[in-house]
Every structure is written in structure tokens, then in C-alpha cells.
Amino acid sequence: MIPLPVTFAILFYGLCVGSFLNVCIYRIPHSRSIVRPGSSCPSCQTPIRWYDNIPVLSYLILRGRCRSCGCSVSLRYPAIEALTGCFALIALYAFGLTASALVHFIFFSVLITITFIDIDHRIIPDVISLPGIPLFFLLSLAVPTVTWQEAALGILAGGGSLWLVAWIYERLTGKMGMGGGDIKLLGMMGAFIGWKGVLFTIFFSSLTGSVIGLSIMLIQRGNMKLAIPYGPFLATGGAVYTLFGAQLIGWYLGFMR
């Protein structure tokens, strides 16, 4: 049983990390430093004081507006903070107060960052995915369910499988259907979740991406030219696998008998 004070401390820690992720999501695509300068209002550029930068709480107190200019601040900022805080608790209660919980939370935080950057800009920055491959390979050593051999195969399976799909698609259609960022992202994820996780992630992301893509196409009345970023589906698949992969695979194999 995890004490309530520990739960609140981890939640607050997650909210603070979420505030930092907002900075990363906004600045990394523009090649700006994530350290300096400090946060400022998107409208008037006034530096945000520390007491106006408390995750979620400051947004509620100020009713979603800048103290200096009164302009509204996007609801997405506290939403990302809350989402990250929730994943901090999910990691805590799924893996306990362990090193495995910490490295899983790091994994979730990186996936959140990549997801929103890809939604905004249709890119997955190399500055995240490429260093993430050796980083998560090392962090996978703290995960008891993944061996270093499985992690190494995960890198090859993750990057190689999507590269093969992209190469075949380009050969057949003459068009690039998948960006290199997705390939590097799955390679990074494979370093942490192993080759089994890669296979699950490809299946899950393809299924959910197809369902959502077809739904949007029907809403758009048959518009086949709508580009949907694939990174968020990969990230979701990887997160689902780390939390429920074994149970879902067991259920699927039992269902197929």
C-alpha cells in the first residue's frame, strides 16, 4: 500500500514535469533552448512569475488568463500537465515505488512530448528520438520483463520493420507514405519495450490508426488526402503495451483458440 503523502508527492512531481514538457513541445521544433529564457506569456511575452507558474493551480486561479495582459491561455497547457501527472500515478501504481516506475515514467513523458510535437508540426525531432535509442536501451536494464537481448532486437525490429514498409510503399506508389521520424521513433521505443512490444505496437497502431483514419475520412466525405500523423498512434501503442501488453496478448491468444 502506497502512503497517501507519497501519492500526492508523485502527482505534484508529475505535474511539474508536465509543465516542463510544455516548454519542450513549444520550443524544440523551433530549435530553441528548453532552459533559457524562462517561460513567458505567448501573447505579451511578459515573463511568468514563479507563483503564476504552479502547474494547473495557477491556471485555475488566473481563470486561464495572463496576469499582465489578460489574454486567454490555451487549455492545452494545464491539460498536458494533468496528463503527465496522471501517468506519474499510473507508473507508481503499476510498478510500485521502484526504479522501474521511474524509467517507465520517463518513457511516458518522452512519448507525450513526441505526440504533441507530431500533432502540431508533423515531425518527430531527431534530437529526441536518436539520443533516445541508447538512452532507453540502458534504461531497459531496470525493467525486469525485458532482457538486453530483447531490447537490442527491439531496436532492429522497430527501425527495420517500418523502414521496410516505407520502402515497399514508395516502390509501389512512387510516394513517401511514412516519414523517417516514425522509423526512428519505433526504433527508440523498441530499445525499451523489446521486439515483442514492437510487434504489438505496430499491430495496435495500425488498427487504431485505420479506424480513426476511416472515421475522419467518412466525416470529411471521402477525402483521401487528409494527412494524419502516425507518431501519436505509435506512442499510444507503446504505452498500452507497457501497461497491458501481457494481458492483451494472453486474451488474444485465448480468444483465437
Side-chain angles (χ1 to χ4, degrees), residues 170-208:
E170 186 174 355
R171 287 289 181 178
L172 292 176
T173 65
K175 301 177 182 179
M176 183 176 293
M178 183 175 297
D182 296 321
I183 297 172
K184 298 165 193 172
L185 169 60
L186 193 55
M188 183 198 79
M189 293 169 59
F192 188 71
I193 60 179
W195 66 271
K196 296 177 184 177
V198 167
L199 296 181
F200 176 92
T201 299
I202 292 174
F203 173 79
F204 183 90
S205 60
S206 299
L207 178 62
T208 55

Side-chain angles (χ1 to χ4, degrees), residues 2-257:
I2 299 175
L4 195 59
V6 173
T7 298
F8 280 114
I10 295 299
L11 173 61
F12 182 71
Y13 170 73
L15 293 175
C16 291
V17 172
S19 181
F20 174 68
L21 297 189
N22 275 319
V23 175
C24 295
I25 292 166
Y26 181 75
R27 296 187 182 185
I28 287 178
H30 301 287
S31 300
R32 294 176 54 188
S33 170
I34 59 176
V35 179
R36 299 178 185 278
S39 299
S40 60
C41 171
S43 299
C44 67
Q45 306 303 316
T46 301
I48 299 176
R49 302 173 181 87
W50 69 267
Y51 50 81
D52 287 337
N53 207 23
I54 301 173
V56 180
L57 183 60
S58 292
Y59 186 90
L60 296 176
I61 292 174
L62 295 173
R63 298 181 180 179
R65 296 187 177 277
C66 171
R67 185 186 293 274
S68 298
C69 66
C71 290
S72 61
V73 178
S74 172
L75 181 62
R76 200 175 84 166
Y77 291 106
I80 290 176
E81 293 168 351
L83 177 64
T84 311
C86 288
F87 270 104
L89 293 182
I90 289 171
L92 174 65
Y93 280 90
F95 306 101
L97 200 58
T98 62
S100 182
L102 177 59
V103 298
H104 274 91
F105 176 61
I106 294 173
F107 183 63
F108 295 147
S109 297
V110 171
L111 294 184
I112 290 171
T113 304
I114 287 174
T115 292
F116 283 96
I117 289 178
D118 200 18
I119 290 173
D120 288 342
H121 301 279
R122 301 294 194 271
I123 61 170
I124 298 175
D126 288 348
V127 71
I128 299 177
S129 58
L130 291 182
I133 293 174
L135 172 64
F136 282 112
F137 177 77
L138 293 175
L139 291 179
S140 70
L141 301 177
V143 180
T145 56
V146 179
T147 66
W148 71 265
Q149 295 95 331
E150 290 175 329
L153 288 174
I155 297 173
L156 296 176
S161 59
L162 284 195
W163 177 85
L164 181 61
V165 171
W167 182 82
I168 292 174
Y169 182 88
E170 186 174 355
R171 287 289 181 178
L172 292 176
T173 65
K175 301 177 182 179
M176 183 176 293
M178 183 175 297
D182 296 321
I183 297 172
K184 298 165 193 172
L185 169 60
L186 193 55
M188 183 198 79
M189 293 169 59
F192 188 71
I193 60 179
W195 66 271
K196 296 177 184 177
V198 167
L199 296 181
F200 176 92
T201 299
I202 292 174
F203 173 79
F204 183 90
S205 60
S206 299
L207 178 62
T208 55
S210 298
V211 171
I212 293 177
L214 289 173
S215 299
I216 294 176
M217 185 189 72
L218 291 175
I219 294 173
Q220 297 290 331
R221 297 181 181 179
N223 184 5
M224 297 290 291
K225 297 182 179 180
L226 182 64
I228 301 175
Y230 190 44
F233 297 106
L234 289 173
T236 303
V240 169
Y241 177 80
T242 62
L243 296 171
F244 311 109
Q247 298 92 316
L248 289 174
I249 291 173
W251 170 84
Y252 178 77
L253 293 177
F255 177 78
M256 294 299 292
R257 289 177 183 173

